[in-house]
Amino acid sequence: MKILAVSDQVQERIYTLASSGHFKEVELVIGCGDMPYAYLEYLVTMLNVQMFYVPGNHDPQYDLRNADSCAEGGINLDLKIVRHNKFLIGGFGGSVRYRPDGTNQYTQSDAYSRAILMLPRLLLNHLQYGRALDILISHSPPFGIHDDSDPAHNGLKALNWLLRIARPRYHFHGHIHLYKRNLENIETNFGLTKIINVYPYKTLEVSH
Ligand SMILES: [Zn+2]
């Protein structure tokens, strides 16, 4: 299954590539957060495929009564797990808390409490499919992997825990912008998982 994953920054190039058919083989769009929802909606409309996304720390709080708090045509996968095209895909939105009033921000212990909510479904998947998860989508990176030492860019330890118990083949995240000095923060193997920093976009063929 070919995936187009986007995060954090609008790329003007994407508009040209999408309209010229460059992504015609893409079967799934993944949004890793901090994206204007209009950008995600454009991609879904142009490519006419399923989209799953998680909110980032610069996205609005999801609110059922407010259409601007979600991306139309896509599914907010925060703390949810779905089966799509035989892939088990789970989402974990937000970043570490660095402002008391920040949206989609969690202390390390809040993040653990959230991750634990995914446990029943992961266990059910294990019983039903022999594996808990294939793809994890998050905004934040795990702690100590692709993250940064400044308070806003510490990774979430709950994600390391999730990766250890769910053992997905792929973990897509955003939040960490790449500069010349941190170009090593693109792809890391963690146990069975390939951890991919999506910023600003990536296409990848995933397999079981
Ligand atoms: Zn972010």
Side-chain angles (χ1 to χ4, degrees), residues 4-18 23 29-48 51 53 59 68 70-74 198-202:
L4 167 64
V6 294
S7 89
D8 290 85
Q9 202 171 72
V10 169
Q11 294 291 295
E12 295 298 326
R13 240 186 120 215
I14 286 262
Y15 294 109
T16 325
L17 290 171
F23 299 124
V29 172
I30 285 177
C32 288
D34 286 356
M35 295 256 67
Y37 289 152
Y39 183 69
L40 294 177
E41 289 163 2
Y42 168 84
L43 286 173
V44 165
T45 310
M46 278 305 282
L47 307 181
N48 196 22
M51 180 208 3
Y53 69 95
D59 291 320
D68 293 337
C70 55
E72 218 177 298
V198 162
Y199 172 89
Y201 76 93
K202 284 264 153 59

Side-chain angles (χ1 to χ4, degrees), residues 1-5 22-30 43-44 47-52 73 84-87 89 135 202-208:
M1 176 170 67
K2 190 154 187 182
I3 291 177
L4 167 64
H22 181 80
F23 299 124
K24 65 177 185 300
E25 273 150 25
V26 165
E27 295 170 83
L28 176 69
V29 172
I30 285 177
L43 286 173
V44 165
L47 307 181
N48 196 22
V49 294
Q50 178 71 58
M51 180 208 3
F52 300 121
H84 174 74
N85 224 344
K86 295 190 179 156
F87 285 88
I89 309 176
I135 300 173
K202 284 264 153 59
T203 49
L204 192 82
E205 179 80 39
V206 296
S207 55
H208 283 292

